[in-house]
Amino acid sequence: MKKIAYILGISLILSSCAGDWLETEPESSTATGTIFETTENAALAINGICRLMSNQYLSSQGFNGEGTIKTYYGNYPGNDFQRSNLTGWSSITNALYHERSTSSYCYYPWFYYYKLIVNANAIIMNIDNATGADSEKQFIKAQALTFRAYSYLMLSQLYCHRWMDSNNGASRGLPLRTDLSTGDLEASTLAQVYSRIYDDLDEAVSNFTSSGKDRASGDNYSPNINVAYAVYARAALTREDWSNAAKYAVLARADFSLMTNDEYVNGGFNTANQEWIWSCYNASDQDLYYYSFFAYQGSNSSASICRTYPCAISKELYDEIPDTDVRKGMFLGPKTGETYTTSTGRASSGALYNRAKADYADKIYSTSYIFAYMQFKFQVSAQVGIGQVNNFRSAEMYLIEAEANCHLGNKDTETQNLLIELNRTSGRNTAYTCTKTGDELLEEVKLYRRIELWGEGFDWFDYKRWKESIVRKSYPEGSFHVQFAVTIAPDDNNYWTWVYPAKEIDYNEAISSSVE
């Protein structure tokens, strides 16, 4: 049964999609040969993998594809994100599940990303024999390789040690499945994982280039060469390969200009625009309803969790955003004389409550509770949780290049200019300037990474790779509920490394749960 469950991932791409995605034979009658008979069919298989990134899994409301990784694994346990008063989730928020191998929270990312990988492997292994133009085969293979590289990158960040603790990659990596075999497979080293990621992306770039093709106009949800570059940039940053991080960040953001201020504050994070490099498809005909990412993070969603426990920024980070910065207005920071219940963060009446209802009426559901520091960055485009989930923006690429430059040396001016372009030239903060150098400049880059990418699933991942403690404070220094006001040191909680899930260990006898 374990092997059947593994292989079913291949046919899922041809059985779980509706509407504009694809319609084909039912799962029980679709064979691999039929799927990859032609490049037209193989292109539908790519479309199916895109759909897997915004699908509901494990009969759980919270497991919604890529959005779950951002919410449960990137935001909740991070330093700057808070789920107002949701104390029942303190174990997840305080990162106490890393060694619970039987928990669905340990299992979900493994299950999800290996599902993407096995489907990508099926395409990579079969596309060369499909009927169709060579350029189409090259493009489809490149897309599948990009999916696989991205999946292994995300898995490595969760289930492997941070690079600086890995003894230059000698620590345990992942079982690297690159075909459709289902037997026992030893874990690679972390260095081998990154070698696989790099090789896949090199091959993807080569195939994208040779094909001369690009995704269709209006398609932001399937990979193209810019997505491969973006994955490369993020992978190199995580591996502390600074020169490649800077190189590929520049390539990734080519032709993806920064969004305007109006776009930024009004739907810039639920609908693809010129800044978006890659996202997960979502529309009314593909609605996950209460299962979707935006039904968990949308400030104007009618979902109970959004109305009762809105997402909020930490007071500490909010206070570091300049008053001249448009991004500060996307959070309900209390002004002088505006009070709230400091133990919970909630304002049930008074000046703060009234301002929220007046100034942000179009960004809050009518019956939503009001909390200090609640966010208005993420809004549904339609109820209950309609909205595209962004994976890569050009803003991230500016920040990757800037951070990499800080480690390359003699690039202070270039780094200052990148921050000025991101913050002042874009209009986000017309008063911004930067003259910092050295370590202070690196800290400036980190600060603006936290501000610019807040809520997009980077929080915990960044603090892990930086090897910096998460420090949350309660009132009056901070805004976290006392149950979340903890310090998590880099060596705590299994060094921020999730153990291999028990389901994998039971199946794959070549690995164990211990982390080397």
Side-chain angles (χ1 to χ4, degrees):
M1 291 181 66
K2 294 169 184 172
K3 292 185 178 181
I4 292 174
Y6 183 78
I7 294 172
L8 280 181
I10 302 169
S11 52
L12 185 87
I13 61 179
L14 297 178
S15 64
S16 65
C17 309
D20 293 336
W21 287 94
L22 62 104
E23 292 180 13
T24 186
E25 299 175 38
E27 179 176 286
S28 59
S29 63
T30 303
T32 301
T34 302
I35 297 170
F36 301 110
E37 233 170 35
T38 67
T39 53
E40 182 179 7
N41 283 355
L44 294 179
I46 289 290
N47 217 6
I49 301 181
C50 297
R51 181 68 181 95
L52 292 177
M53 298 186 78
S54 56
N55 200 25
Q56 189 250 337
Y57 294 104
L58 303 182
S59 301
S60 172
Q61 183 168 321
F63 294 141
N64 56 44
E66 196 67 21
T68 298
I69 304 299
K70 299 177 187 298
T71 301
Y72 288 177
Y73 302 87
N75 290 337
Y76 280 15
N79 189 77
D80 303 319
F81 184 100
Q82 53 184 319
R83 182 108 238 176
S84 301
N85 209 33
L86 188 63
T87 56
W89 281 68
S90 60
S91 293
I92 292 294
T93 302
N94 296 338
L96 300 179
Y97 272 56
H98 290 164
E99 296 178 90
R100 301 187 185 185
S101 64
T102 59
S103 167
S104 60
Y105 299 107
C106 180
Y107 172 56
Y108 172 75
W110 192 277
F111 162 84
Y112 166 62
Y113 283 118
Y114 274 105
K115 183 177 287 293
L116 299 187
I117 288 166
V118 69
N119 282 281
N121 286 345
I123 295 170
I124 294 165
M125 292 183 66
N126 288 282
I127 187 61
D128 288 344
N129 296 321
T131 300
D134 286 344
S135 61
E136 294 173 347
K137 297 178 188 179
Q138 291 166 340
F139 188 73
I140 291 167
K141 178 178 280 190
Q143 291 182 302
L145 288 162
T146 304
F147 273 121
R148 187 167 74 183
Y150 177 74
S151 298
Y152 276 126
L153 169 61
M154 298 304 292
L155 285 167
S156 70
Q157 292 180 89
L158 290 159
Y159 296 97
C160 305
H161 286 321
R162 55 181 68 88
W163 183 261
M164 67 176 67
D165 291 340
S166 71
N167 188 22
N168 202 33
S171 63
R172 190 181 71 175
L174 301 162
L176 286 173
R177 294 196 181 275
T178 57
D179 54 31
L180 299 180
S181 63
T182 59
D184 294 341
L185 181 65
E186 293 182 354
S188 66
T189 65
L190 184 57
Q192 289 170 328
V193 172
Y194 278 103
S195 179
R196 177 76 270 161
I197 293 169
Y198 279 25
D199 287 348
D200 279 356
L201 292 171
D202 286 336
E203 187 177 354
V205 168
S206 176
N207 276 281
F208 276 130
T209 302
S210 298
S211 74
K213 299 178 71 66
D214 199 354
R215 61 193 179 191
S217 175
D219 172 3
N220 190 258
Y221 52 84
S222 59
N224 68 354
I225 194 168
N226 296 90
V227 175
Y229 289 146
V231 176
Y232 220 138
R234 191 185 293 178
L237 183 76
T238 308
R239 189 195 171 281
E240 300 183 350
D241 177 4
W242 311 120
S243 59
N244 274 321
K247 170 186 173 181
Y248 287 106
V250 173
L251 292 170
R253 72 169 184 265
D255 302 321
F256 290 87
S257 59
L258 296 169
M259 66 179 89
T260 66
N261 284 352
D262 182 63
E263 289 170 326
Y264 200 97
V265 301
N266 294 303
F269 296 92
N270 65 21
T271 304
N273 57 48
Q274 72 272 8
E275 186 174 323
W276 288 32
I277 298 171
W278 189 35
S279 61
C280 301
Y281 179 83
N282 183 248
S284 56
D285 65 338
Q286 298 287 332
D287 193 4
L288 291 182
Y289 300 97
Y290 295 98
Y291 301 81
S292 70
F293 170 82
F294 282 94
Y296 277 77
Q297 288 200 192
S299 64
N300 60 338
S301 172
S302 63
S304 175
I305 194 170
C306 293
R307 290 184 289 106
T308 310
Y309 307 103
C311 304
I313 193 172
S314 67
K315 176 183 183 298
E316 301 95 307
L317 181 57
Y318 176 84
D319 287 346
E320 292 199 68
I321 305 175
D323 291 340
T324 53
D325 196 313
V326 68
R327 290 166 291 202
K328 194 159 193 169
M330 300 177 75
F331 305 96
L332 186 65
K335 297 180 179 180
T336 302
E338 294 181 337
T339 60
Y340 58 95
T341 303
T342 56
S343 61
T344 64
R346 186 178 174 190
S348 300
S349 61
L352 182 64
Y353 177 91
N354 293 335
R355 180 163 64 88
K357 291 291 187 177
D359 293 356
Y360 297 98
D362 61 335
K363 295 179 171 62
I364 308 175
Y365 195 74
S366 59
T367 59
S368 292
Y369 291 176
I370 302 302
F371 280 81
Y373 303 102
M374 66 188 295
Q375 66 87 29
F376 310 106
K377 180 176 180 177
F378 298 95
Q379 307 158 44
V380 300
S381 56
Q383 297 296 346
V384 172
I386 297 297
Q388 285 180 254
V389 178
N390 180 268
N391 296 324
F392 289 96
R393 295 191 287 126
S394 57
E396 181 195 352
M397 299 301 116
Y398 279 93
L399 291 159
I400 287 176
E401 184 185 0
E403 186 175 341
N405 282 349
C406 289
H407 293 279
L408 290 170
N410 300 316
K411 288 184 173 289
D412 285 352
T413 300
E414 292 95 322
T415 304
Q416 293 164 359
N417 289 338
L418 285 166
L419 290 176
I420 290 169
E421 188 172 353
L422 174 65
N423 296 303
R424 185 174 72 199
T425 308
S426 69
R428 287 157 167 65
N429 180 6
T430 56
Y432 181 83
T433 189
C434 183
T435 58
K436 294 179 179 179
T437 60
D439 291 342
E440 288 186 351
L441 181 56
L442 176 58
E443 291 307 309
E444 181 83 347
V445 172
K446 289 180 179 180
L447 171 62
Y448 275 90
R449 184 176 173 92
R450 292 164 61 199
I451 293 170
E452 174 67 26
L453 302 179
W454 180 90
E456 298 178 53
F458 293 93
D459 197 337
W460 179 85
F461 291 102
D462 281 342
Y463 272 79
K464 177 177 179 176
R465 67 181 181 81
W466 289 335
K467 200 174 182 179
E468 293 185 7
S469 294
I470 285 173
V471 181
R472 309 196 200 110
K473 299 176 182 178
S474 59
Y475 184 85
E477 294 86 1
S479 56
F480 283 95
H481 188 285
V482 66
Q483 284 191 231
F484 306 137
V486 299
T487 295
I488 307 173
D491 293 347
D492 291 345
N493 304 343
N494 201 38
Y495 297 87
W496 300 25
T497 302
W498 290 81
V499 297
Y500 285 178
K503 289 178 180 289
E504 174 68 19
I505 296 165
D506 291 344
Y507 165 69
N508 184 357
E509 296 180 1
I511 61 173
S512 68
S513 60
S514 62
V515 180
E516 297 90 18

